[in-house]
Amino acid sequence: MTALVPDSAWASLALPDGTAELRRFPMREAPADAGWLRVTASGICGTDVRLCADGLPEPTVLGHHVVGELATAGPLAQRRWGLVPGDHVVVEEYLPCGHCETCASGWYRLCPATDLWSGGRRIGTVPASVEPGLSGGNAEYLYLPANAVVHKLPPELPWSLAAWTLPLANALDWLLEAAALVAGERVVVLGPGYHGLAAAAAAKQAGAAAVVVCGRPSDGKRLELAANLGCETVVLSGGAGPVSAIRAALGGHSADVVLDAGASDPDTIRWSLTLLGFRGRLVLTSPKEPATAAVDTGLLTRRMLTFRAVRGRSPRWITRAIELLASGKSGLDHVPTAEIGLAEVGDMLARLAAGTGPSTPHVVVCPGTVRA
Ligand SMILES: [Zn+2]
Ligand SMILES: [Zn+2]
């Protein structure tokens, strides 16, 4: 074992009963085609909260928005990844097979080997019983298997900002690729969470003429963060139609793009479509509960609307997100970071599930800052 990695590492182990405990895992030498990442920041997102709330089938080290420093990597891995130990990297959550039709087409994020809905596995969802156990970001070290997807970060990019890479890359893909947003268009973002704020930043960067971010009354602080990014904000209080309030925030105009990163209520689909003008696009980022929504097909046809659903991002938007974050112009450096140590992960997941989490959606586990 090289001197760069210790013999064991601490991790926060999420348990099937919804709690989490600290556990020390042995570390083995990485084979020639794999490596170890020293985790510096691991972002917590709604998926983690949902995984815990739904009940994990097995104890798991969560954390799938991971950045850190390559501690060690075998010669094959270094060549394949184009990295050397010491490089700063962001890790995509996908663990694609690399040789199926889906992977060959470039859509490796939908490879059955890594598609959760097909029983696939990802960083941060692999049970801890699978060797070497350290397969999530909520740990001092993350094992990088041969099929890990990693991207180099500029060394000067602060870790808390680097932890925005995946949400920002998602937002860029969803707005600029899926919704084909162009400068001068008007954008509505439903939900001021991790992805909602990233989308607000991405829309501003794309030169949107107006960006309106909508949230619930309990989202007050997060809407303030959206306002700090230069967005208009609307509190959706139910009852009195959200459409007229949002349209007023748009200066009486229709929206060109609505990005739904908000509530699970399927009724948002119905009224979001009415916000759109000719050739408008509605982008859905996660399933509704219940899953079925009423859609006015007459409206879809008359206004030539597009209804897109999205999942993850293609790698080119990772590159763009890194450029934006490194340029200092993303605006996301103005969003506060709630940093926690490994010992606090369980409590934080419970707070987030109960809706009593921090006012900022940027919650980051920093395994090195608070030692076990
Ligand atoms: Zn996530
Ligand atoms: Zn594949």
Side-chain angles (χ1 to χ4, degrees):
M1 169 103 36
T2 138
L4 287 170
V5 291
D7 292 330
S8 62
W10 286 106
S12 168
L13 187 65
L15 303 173
D17 68 0
T19 63
E21 65 180 29
L22 283 173
R23 182 84 61 89
R24 205 163 173 89
F25 286 83
M27 290 170 66
R28 63 169 194 221
E29 189 166 353
D33 60 356
W36 284 101
L37 184 85
R38 184 177 68 80
V39 179
T40 53
S42 170
I44 293 182
C45 84
T47 302
D48 298 310
V49 179
R50 260 197 311 279
L51 285 170
C52 279
D54 291 351
L56 289 161
E58 285 188 64
T60 304
V61 179
L62 298 175
H64 59 277
H65 294 205
V66 194
V67 293
E69 185 181 276
L70 188 67
T72 182
L76 291 178
Q78 290 191 36
R79 205 172 317 139
R80 179 156 177 258
W81 296 336
L83 297 171
V84 294
D87 279 345
H88 292 194
V89 298
V90 58
V91 184
E92 289 197 72
E93 65 272 50
Y94 311 125
L95 295 170
C97 78
H99 49 70
C100 71
E101 259 183 51
T102 310
C103 284
S105 71
W107 286 79
Y108 60 83
R109 67 190 194 263
L110 300 179
C111 168
T114 199
D115 180 1
L116 293 183
W117 284 329
S118 304
R121 284 182 173 168
R122 295 179 171 189
I123 301 278
T125 67
V126 181
S129 56
V130 177
E131 293 276 321
L134 293 164
S135 297
N138 298 345
E140 291 180 304
Y141 285 84
L142 169 70
Y143 182 68
L144 297 174
N147 57 342
V149 185
V150 293
H151 304 260
K152 191 170 174 176
L153 291 167
E156 65 277 10
L157 186 63
W159 292 118
S160 59
L161 201 49
W164 277 105
T165 305
L166 295 191
L168 181 58
N170 289 343
L172 289 165
D173 188 308
W174 302 345
L175 286 174
L176 276 65
E177 188 159 321
L181 175 69
V182 293
E185 292 194 311
R186 296 181 177 84
V187 178
V188 174
V189 177
L190 303 181
Y194 206 9
H195 279 104
L197 287 188
K204 294 298 285 186
Q205 277 301 316
V211 182
V212 177
V213 179
C214 310
R216 295 163 299 186
S218 58
D219 289 325
K221 287 271 188 245
R222 293 181 174 197
L223 290 174
E224 276 176 32
L225 298 175
N228 292 344
L229 291 170
C231 304
E232 300 295 319
T233 61
V234 171
V235 177
L236 303 176
S237 45
V243 171
S244 54
I246 296 171
R247 207 178 279 277
L250 287 165
H253 296 280
S254 299
D256 298 290
V257 175
V258 175
L259 181 83
D260 187 345
S264 58
D265 177 6
D267 195 44
T268 56
I269 302 293
R270 180 189 57 75
W271 58 256
S272 294
L273 287 170
T274 70
L275 282 169
L276 292 168
F278 286 114
R279 299 173 55 246
R281 290 85 77 196
L282 172 62
V283 180
L284 181 65
T285 65
S286 60
K288 296 293 182 180
E289 181 61 47
T292 305
V295 171
D296 181 344
T297 54
L299 190 67
L300 278 179
T301 311
R302 284 195 304 279
R303 295 193 192 164
M304 286 181 67
L305 304 181
T306 302
F307 185 3
R308 279 289 300 266
V310 288
R311 294 179 62 190
R313 86 305 303 184
S314 72
R316 73 185 180 110
W317 297 110
I318 299 261
T319 307
R320 182 70 190 122
I322 293 169
E323 284 170 3
L324 262 179
L325 291 166
S327 75
K329 294 180 189 151
S330 69
L332 292 170
D333 44 339
H334 299 302
V335 178
T337 305
E339 288 189 6
I340 60 168
L342 286 178
E344 300 160 80
V345 173
D347 283 348
M348 179 57 77
L349 286 168
R351 283 177 60 196
L352 290 168
T356 56
S359 51
T360 175
H362 191 43
V363 182
V364 173
V365 182
C366 298
T369 53
V370 183
R371 308 296 292 193

